[in-house]
Amino acid sequence: MVTPLMLSAVVVTTSIAAALVALLLLSAVPQRRGTKADLPQLSAPFEQAIFLFDDRELVDATSTGRALLGAIPGPGSEWSRLAGYLSLRLRGFEAEMSSLAERGELEMRGQDDDGFRVKAEWLGQMARLTVSDLSVEGQGILVDGLSQRAQEAELASLRETVATAPFPVWRTDGDNTIVWANHAYLDRVAERQDGEEDDMTWPVPALFLDCGRNPIGKSLRKKLSSPDGGAGHWYDCYSYPAAEGQLHFALPADTVVKAETSLREFVQTLTKTFAHLPIGLAIFDRQRQLALFNPALVDLTSAGAEFLSARPTLFAFLDRLREAHVIPEPKDYGSWRQQMLDLEKAAASGLYEETWTLPSGQTYHVTGRPHPDGAVAFLIEDITAEIALTRRFRSEIELGQSVVDTLDEAIAVFSPAGELILSNSAYEDLWGVEPGRTLGTMTIMDSLKHWQEQTRPNPTLGDIRDFVTTLDERAEWTAELPLTAGGALSCRIVPLLGGATLVGFERVAPDRPLVRRIRRNRYATAPGSQGETVQA
């Protein structure tokens, strides 16, 4: 018999069942996509690595997926690092992903079908990637599989990099005991033990003693002797702090040591060579400190060998020269310092060259030349004797010029090339020309133009031109040139040493007979051949 209480229980049960069915139906209806915050959190029923991307921005990922991203080294966004990792395992990953929106869903397999799987699904505006590896223990479960594989790949790469390094690398603990070394270090140990690396016992012996006491980042040069008694090898050792010890690197330095030795020997050779030069040499490095000098510099500057050996700066060196009166004394010290700054700049550009006249009467020729790597070289040469000789020659030339100027005869001397090299004041007064004030060089042709302006047409001028420019055997001769203003000039043409020619002009007295041309052959040896006279 059905009681009222039983009927009430049935009604309640039916209502609850109907409510559950309604909830199930509502959950099956697709929902409209909301914001990123409204998206449901990804679940991983099989703990696969699942990622949800909006374009290239990571929206969500399972814990396994985040662990995989954390295990992938390198800079960039989550998508760039993940795409780079997957591209190594899947051929054409980027190209396949570019067509995901059109295809809706795709599945990619690893190279050689090694069990690596990636499933990509297009969810309207987002892409979901499911990464699994069937070769990992657990058949598709990738809780630690992908992360571990990425870490193992990175570890293997690092081990291979350090193991194949061509220079020794080793690690020591707090007691300075070697706890690890690469193949290059072990090879050098094996060379000294006449054995193989497999026969070694740990800890291996230390090859580079005291390596680790040098400051961080600073090198310590050590020589490793050769087991066969050879020259050995040089290394620059670097030490860096590491967990529970230090990490050491020994870089080969044989080339550097050889270059330094060659440079040192070259400098010694230059020093010996410069020691015999009479020219003072001072080379300043890029910091403008004296790097090299020769004994002649000590003699010329009186700076002292001790002072120069202390490597003074350029300005200290110039100050010492000023104190020793081996530099022109300026009017004031401020202008002198500015002059020295200009000197340094000019020498660095290769434009400095001056003559210093000292209070002692000496004369120095100073030249500044730039050198590689910013260095500057100064050459100081004592040219007192040359200046004295030049002054004596100049005084002799001036004396000869003054003597020639006292002559009444107008004189002009031409070189074998036909250039006017000497004339006197009588020549300038006669022809109205001053060769010393003429721009350029006056030649025989220029002189002929001046002569033709004041003389009547006469073949003598052409003969003079030919005589000056000829290099054959020549003899002295004379002639007369009629002037356009009346009267005539007696012309004397005399060959000089070195192919030069003297042409002299002198006015002829009115009552003197006209003589057209007289030749005197200095080289005639036959009796009676004293010359030829032709009278008009």
Side-chain angles (χ1 to χ4, degrees):
M1 182 177 181
V2 181
T3 62
L5 182 60
M6 296 176 61
L7 291 174
S8 300
V10 171
V11 172
V12 172
T13 303
T14 305
S15 300
I16 293 174
L20 291 174
V21 171
L23 289 174
L24 291 174
L25 292 175
L26 288 174
S27 63
V29 177
Q31 300 295 320
R32 183 179 180 183
R33 177 179 178 271
T35 62
K36 295 179 181 178
D38 297 330
L39 290 173
Q41 297 296 319
L42 291 178
S43 61
F46 298 102
E47 297 192 47
Q48 296 174 318
I50 302 177
F51 307 88
L52 186 62
F53 285 91
D54 184 0
D55 195 4
R56 293 178 176 269
E57 182 180 359
L58 180 65
V59 177
D60 201 356
T62 61
S63 59
T64 305
R66 294 190 181 277
L68 174 61
L69 288 175
I72 300 176
S77 62
E78 290 86 356
W79 169 257
S80 62
R81 289 188 287 121
L82 181 62
Y85 171 72
L86 296 178
S87 297
L88 297 176
R89 305 295 305 275
L90 306 171
R91 292 190 179 94
F93 172 75
E94 293 279 358
E96 293 288 339
M97 289 300 298
S98 62
S99 62
L100 178 61
E102 299 175 0
R103 300 167 61 178
E105 180 178 337
L106 54 89
E107 183 174 354
M108 291 167 279
R109 298 174 178 269
Q111 300 178 10
D112 301 328
D113 197 14
D114 56 357
F116 194 84
R117 301 285 189 273
V118 173
K119 182 179 180 181
E121 301 170 274
W122 182 251
L123 305 179
Q125 298 296 328
M126 296 190 183
R128 180 169 65 187
L129 273 71
T130 303
V131 182
S132 60
D133 191 349
L134 300 181
S135 64
V136 179
E137 183 180 358
Q139 294 297 318
I141 301 176
L142 196 58
V143 178
D144 294 321
L146 286 177
S147 301
Q148 182 177 359
R149 171 170 288 196
Q151 293 176 353
E152 290 177 350
E154 182 183 6
L155 179 60
S157 176
L158 292 177
R159 285 178 175 174
E160 182 181 7
T161 300
V162 177
T164 57
F167 51 86
V169 181
W170 69 100
R171 181 188 291 268
T172 57
D173 58 11
D175 298 330
N176 205 26
T177 302
I178 297 179
V179 296
W180 175 88
N182 70 339
H183 291 318
Y185 189 96
L186 298 178
D187 289 341
R188 284 155 181 79
V189 173
E191 291 175 357
R192 281 154 180 76
Q193 295 182 350
D194 296 330
E196 301 293 337
E197 294 183 8
D198 297 337
D199 300 333
M200 295 180 186
T201 58
W202 287 86
V204 295
L207 299 179
F208 303 93
L209 300 177
D210 300 330
C211 189
R213 298 181 181 179
N214 49 310
I216 299 175
K218 299 295 183 179
S219 64
L220 177 65
R221 183 158 295 175
K222 303 289 292 184
K223 183 178 181 180
L224 194 60
S225 61
S226 179
D228 56 0
H233 299 280
W234 287 93
Y235 294 88
D236 286 334
C237 298
Y238 295 84
S239 300
Y240 298 91
E244 301 179 357
Q246 286 184 315
L247 189 60
H248 310 275
F249 302 87
L251 303 182
D254 288 337
T255 304
V256 178
V257 172
K258 184 178 180 181
E260 292 176 350
T261 304
S262 299
L263 178 61
R264 190 182 307 110
E265 294 175 352
F266 179 68
V267 171
Q268 292 176 354
T269 303
L270 289 181
T271 303
K272 295 178 181 178
T273 303
F274 294 151
H276 302 286
L277 289 179
I279 301 175
L281 173 66
I283 298 179
F284 295 86
D285 57 20
R286 61 165 52 187
Q287 283 78 28
R288 295 301 180 260
Q289 285 187 314
L290 185 61
L292 180 65
F293 69 94
N294 65 340
L297 185 70
V298 181
D299 300 334
L300 293 175
T301 61
S302 302
E306 295 181 358
F307 172 76
L308 297 177
S309 299
R311 300 191 62 198
T313 63
L314 174 59
F315 290 106
F317 173 73
L318 295 175
D319 285 335
R320 176 60 67 92
L321 296 186
R322 181 173 176 269
E323 295 174 0
H325 303 287
V326 190
I327 198 170
E329 186 66 24
K331 296 181 179 180
D332 61 279
Y333 187 76
S335 63
W336 181 81
R337 294 290 293 181
Q338 183 60 41
Q339 182 183 1
M340 293 304 100
L341 290 174
D342 297 339
L343 180 150
E344 179 189 8
K345 295 178 181 178
S349 60
L351 301 176
Y352 182 77
E353 185 172 359
E354 282 190 0
T355 300
W356 291 355
T357 302
L358 308 183
S360 61
Q362 291 179 297
T363 304
Y364 287 172
H365 181 254
V366 183
T367 307
R369 290 289 181 265
H371 276 242
D373 201 22
V376 175
F378 286 94
L379 301 174
I380 302 178
E381 181 181 3
D382 188 356
I383 59 172
T384 305
E386 297 179 10
I387 293 298
L389 184 61
T390 302
R391 290 172 180 172
R392 186 170 71 251
F393 286 162
R394 185 180 296 114
S395 64
E396 292 178 357
I397 292 174
E398 292 176 354
L399 177 61
Q401 182 68 46
S402 62
V403 171
V404 172
D405 288 340
T406 60
L407 299 177
D408 295 333
E409 183 183 17
I411 293 176
V413 179
F414 295 91
S415 68
E419 296 178 354
L420 180 63
I421 57 177
L422 177 65
S423 63
N424 63 351
S425 56
Y427 180 87
E428 298 175 1
D429 296 338
L430 176 63
W431 300 108
V433 60
E434 298 183 11
R437 299 184 180 182
T438 304
L439 294 178
T441 302
M442 180 171 289
T443 64
I444 182 64
M445 299 303 298
D446 300 327
S447 301
L448 285 177
K449 293 180 181 179
H450 293 292
W451 301 344
Q452 290 173 349
E453 292 175 356
Q454 302 184 37
T455 60
R456 297 177 183 177
N458 194 301
T460 302
L461 295 181
D463 294 340
I464 295 175
R465 177 198 59 203
D466 297 338
F467 189 86
V468 168
T469 56
T470 186
L471 298 179
D472 297 335
E473 182 177 311
R474 302 178 301 170
E476 178 183 351
W477 59 282
T478 60
E480 292 188 357
L481 296 175
L483 298 175
T484 56
L489 294 176
S490 174
C491 183
R492 182 167 62 97
I493 301 91
V494 181
L496 303 178
L497 294 177
T501 304
L502 181 146
V503 181
F505 302 93
E506 191 174 5
R507 293 185 179 273
V508 179
D511 56 348
R512 178 179 173 182
L514 180 63
V515 179
R516 179 175 299 175
R517 184 174 304 172
I518 299 177
R519 292 183 181 273
R520 297 184 182 91
N521 190 350
R522 296 181 178 180
Y523 305 97
T525 57
S529 57
Q530 300 296 327
E532 177 185 1
T533 301
V534 180
Q535 295 186 353

